[in-house]
Amino acid sequence: MRVVLLGAPGAGKGTQAKKLIEEFGIPQISTGDLLRAAVASKSDLGVQAKSFMDRGELVPDSVVLGMVQQRLGQPDCQKGFILDGFPRNTSQAEALDNMLSSMNMPLNAAVDIDVPLDDLMKRLTGRRTCSSCGQMYNIYFNKPKSEGVCDKCGGSLFQRDDDKEDTIKKRLDVYTSQTAPLIGYYKNKGLYKCINGNGSIDEIYSSICSALKAA
Ligand code: AMP
């Protein structure tokens, strides 16, 4: 199964991707996670990406495309993959189509987790991530049992630098102007599946599974 997960920042792409990888045994490719790892390692690519990320802007395609191409070429992607946070604009979507057609691995579906923009602000400002296992929480909707501590592994929780209010506003603007046009792009290709992103994690997951079965 080869799937693109669409949806604004905070729509729950990462949470749903983690459930899909557990069930289907295919890798999640999150360009946000790859870029954050590059920033943490202070590689050339990370240094290039950091200022864009801190401002809530998209990192240039030239940086992101090479990273994705390299990842898709790894053996674990032969069984399928879930792209989370990529593509983010039409030129990335076209580049992805070219990459996948040359690898003879066309997409099966583009799944959009649809959440009204007004709800996203609270989701993003409340988001916390475990520094050890990556488990995600929300201090408004899905609190850990003990403040600041991961229920699963006891690791400490942190707030992403780009989940601060000003950067969030910018990221949502970027989504509306650059990423939302992908809805039309994938509709034209007959791949678009819209999922209502308001509901419990399990409800949303089961809608995604039904949409994927029908794909
Ligand atoms: P995310 O974790 O997907 O919300 O991504 C965090 C930040 O990484 C974004 O605000 C962008 O600065 C950058 N980023 C992630 N994916 C992409 C992409 N496909 N193209 C450009 N920038 C990206």
Side-chain angles (χ1 to χ4, degrees):
M1 188 178 53
R2 293 176 292 271
V3 178
V4 163
L5 274 187
L6 297 172
K13 299 186 297 294
T15 303
Q16 296 297 333
K18 289 204 167 51
K19 288 180 77 72
L20 288 165
I21 59 177
E22 265 172 35
E23 181 158 344
F24 293 96
I26 53 178
Q28 168 196 18
I29 304 176
S30 157
T31 42
D33 286 350
L34 291 173
L35 287 165
R36 280 184 287 279
V39 170
S41 74
K42 300 197 165 64
S43 65
D44 287 351
L45 194 147
V47 172
Q48 267 179 281
K50 187 174 182 336
S51 62
F52 293 94
M53 295 171 79
D54 286 347
R55 291 195 300 270
E57 291 172 11
L58 292 186
V59 173
D61 291 354
S62 54
V63 175
V64 176
L65 291 175
M67 214 173 63
V68 171
Q69 179 143 33
Q70 202 250 349
R71 183 65 188 87
L72 285 173
Q74 288 173 15
D76 60 342
C77 293
Q78 287 296 319
K79 310 188 271 187
F81 49 78
I82 296 157
L83 282 166
D84 162 10
F86 178 89
R88 280 292 230 278
N89 57 29
T90 310
S91 69
Q92 290 183 6
E94 287 165 353
L96 175 66
D97 283 344
N98 292 336
M99 270 180 225
L100 293 179
S101 84
S102 70
M103 297 164 112
N104 209 9
M105 302 197 306
L107 283 178
N108 303 114
V111 174
D112 184 15
I113 307 178
D114 183 36
V115 177
L117 281 181
D118 287 350
D119 296 349
L120 292 169
M121 199 72 196
K122 205 164 186 188
R123 288 197 184 199
L124 288 163
T125 51
R127 184 154 79 173
R128 301 291 182 274
T129 310
C130 174
S131 51
S132 305
C133 72
Q135 177 66 35
M136 292 195 277
Y137 298 88
N138 188 293
I139 56 168
Y140 303 114
F141 309 119
N142 173 30
K143 279 188 196 173
K145 290 192 183 84
S146 165
E147 193 184 321
V149 180
C150 179
D151 293 349
K152 276 195 168 171
C153 75
S156 59
L157 305 185
F158 70 96
Q159 182 176 33
R160 280 170 40 174
D161 284 345
D162 60 353
D163 277 346
K164 311 280 159 64
E165 200 162 327
D166 283 349
T167 318
I168 290 172
K169 283 198 181 115
K170 175 72 186 171
R171 287 164 65 209
L172 293 177
D173 285 348
V174 167
Y175 170 78
T176 306
S177 60
Q178 300 194 51
T179 310
L182 293 180
I183 294 172
Y185 182 90
Y186 285 115
K187 272 186 184 164
N188 283 338
K189 293 187 176 286
L191 294 173
Y192 182 75
K193 308 275 174 199
C194 187
I195 303 293
N196 176 0
N198 272 327
S200 71
I201 291 174
D202 288 339
E203 280 162 358
I204 298 166
Y205 183 65
S206 111
S207 309
I208 294 177
C209 290
S210 310
L212 290 177
K213 276 192 198 112

